[in-house]
Amino acid sequence: MKLGFRFGINGPHAARTMMLDDLRALLSHTPADAIRADYARAIVDDNVLGKSTKSARQLAWRHLGTLYGCGTNNPIFRALRRLWPLDEAAQPMLALAAALARDPLLRGTQSFIVNQVPGTQVTREQTEAFLDRRHPQRFTPASLKSFAQNVAGTWTAAGLLTGHRRKLRSLPARRPESLALLLFLAYLEGRTGQRLFTSDWTSLMGGSPDELEALANSASHRGLLVFMNAGGVKEVRFPGYLTPEEERIREEASRVH
C-alpha cells in the first residue's frame, strides 16, 4: 500500500459505487486537517451521512475509508482533500481518480470504459461479459450483475458515461484541479516529464495533448503544481504534496518504472 495505492483482487465496488454524495457530505462536515479517527467519528457517531442504523454507518465508513484512505498519512487522500474545495465541477473526477487508485476491482474496468468510442452505448451485458472474462468463474450471475451496476454508477457519476438506463460513453469535465490529481498519481508511480501526460491516469480526461498542456498551465497558474515547458521539454513538480520519506519512496519507484 505504498504511497496510498491499494492492490490485490478485492475492492468496495463489489458492494458499492464510489459513493460521491457520501464523500461530499463527509468532507463538508470535517476540517481539512482531520485525522482518520475524525472521519470515523463523523460517520459512525455523528451520522453526518444520515444513515438509518449504526450498522449502516459502520459499513459506510468501512467502504469510504477503503476507497479514499481518509487520513493525513495517505498522500493520495491529502492531495484529494487539498484540491476538493477549489472547484465543485472537478469533484467527480477527483473522486474517481482516488477510487481507481484504491480499488483494484474498479481499476480493472478502466480500459474497458476508456476504450469505448464517445457516443456509443455501453450496456450492462457488455460490462458483465468483460468482468466475467477478466474474473472467470469468480462471480455468481447475481454478483456479476451487481458489480456491473456499481461500476456503471461510478463511471456515470464521474462523467465518462451518461444516461440512466441507456448508458452512453461521454467525456468528463476537464478541470485544472482534476488534471493536477491525475498527474500527481502518475508522478507517484514514478513518471516524470512528458510521460506524466501519457499515462493511464491522463487518458481518463480524453483530451488532446494541447488541451492537457493548457490545463496544466492553468493548474500551474493557480498554484496547484509547477509546470514548465521549454522547447518541448516538460517538467512538473508538486511542492508540498509529499513528505521527504514519501518522496524517497517515489524516487525508488521512478527507477523501476
Side-chain angles (χ1 to χ4, degrees), residues 194-229:
Q194 175 61 37
R195 294 172 66 241
L196 289 168
F197 291 84
T198 56
S199 72
D200 288 341
W201 298 107
T202 50
S203 73
L204 293 165
M205 300 286 277
S208 68
D210 286 346
E211 288 172 320
L212 294 178
E213 185 174 321
L215 282 172
N217 270 317
S218 181
S220 186
H221 291 151
R222 298 182 191 193
L224 310 180
L225 46 76
V226 173
F227 174 60
M228 293 178 284
N229 185 9

Side-chain angles (χ1 to χ4, degrees), residues 4-5 32 47 60 68 74 86 126 130 134 153 191 206 226 232 250:
F5 292 94
N47 196 21
Y68 299 106
N74 186 310
L86 305 180
Q126 287 175 309
F130 172 82
R134 188 173 179 87
R191 290 174 176 261
V226 173
R250 194 211 70 83

Side-chain angles (χ1 to χ4, degrees), residues 31-41 61 70-72:
D33 60 351
I35 62 173
R36 189 172 177 84
D38 296 326
Y39 294 108
R41 189 179 306 110
W61 163 238
C70 295
T72 54

Side-chain angles (χ1 to χ4, degrees), residues 4-7 10-13 16-20 23 63-70 74 76-77 80 84 91-110 150-151 153-155 157-158 181-182 185 201 204:
F5 292 94
R6 288 185 72 251
F7 301 96
N10 297 313
H13 274 78
R16 299 287 181 96
T17 68
M18 68 175 179
M19 305 171 69
L20 178 60
L23 180 64
H63 288 310
L64 278 171
T66 301
L67 268 174
Y68 299 106
C70 295
N74 186 310
I76 295 174
F77 182 74
L80 170 78
W84 189 262
Q91 291 175 358
M93 180 58 75
L94 293 174
L96 174 69
L100 284 167
R102 302 273 306 161
D103 189 339
L105 285 178
L106 177 64
R107 192 159 62 243
T109 68
Q110 179 175 333
N150 292 336
V151 166
T154 285
W155 289 109
L181 185 56
L182 295 171
L185 290 169
W201 298 107
L204 293 165

Side-chain angles (χ1 to χ4, degrees), residues 37-193:
D38 296 326
Y39 294 108
R41 189 179 306 110
I43 293 174
V44 178
D45 297 337
D46 301 340
N47 196 21
V48 299
L49 305 185
K51 304 299 181 183
S52 57
T53 65
K54 184 173 183 179
S55 61
R57 299 196 294 272
Q58 290 171 331
L59 194 59
W61 163 238
R62 192 176 82 192
H63 288 310
L64 278 171
T66 301
L67 268 174
Y68 299 106
C70 295
T72 54
N73 65 337
N74 186 310
I76 295 174
F77 182 74
R78 289 202 312 268
L80 170 78
R81 187 87 222 217
R82 177 177 187 161
L83 299 165
W84 189 262
L86 305 180
D87 183 358
E88 187 175 344
Q91 291 175 358
M93 180 58 75
L94 293 174
L96 174 69
L100 284 167
R102 302 273 306 161
D103 189 339
L105 285 178
L106 177 64
R107 192 159 62 243
T109 68
Q110 179 175 333
S111 61
F112 170 71
I113 296 297
V114 170
N115 291 335
Q116 302 296 322
V117 176
T120 58
Q121 185 176 3
V122 182
T123 67
R124 193 194 77 229
E125 291 76 15
Q126 287 175 309
T127 307
E128 287 182 17
F130 172 82
L131 294 170
D132 197 34
R133 289 193 302 271
R134 188 173 179 87
H135 308 279
Q137 300 181 323
R138 179 179 175 186
F139 298 104
T140 66
S143 296
L144 202 60
K145 179 180 179 181
S146 175
F147 184 15
Q149 289 173 331
N150 292 336
V151 166
T154 285
W155 289 109
T156 301
L160 280 85
L161 294 177
T162 55
H164 181 56
R165 294 188 179 278
R166 186 171 183 267
K167 302 289 188 184
L168 300 178
R169 174 71 164 94
S170 56
L171 295 176
R174 298 189 186 114
R175 308 297 300 165
E177 293 79 8
S178 305
L179 183 65
L181 185 56
L182 295 171
L183 290 172
F184 179 63
L185 290 169
Y187 178 78
L188 288 179
E189 290 181 333
R191 290 174 176 261
T192 57

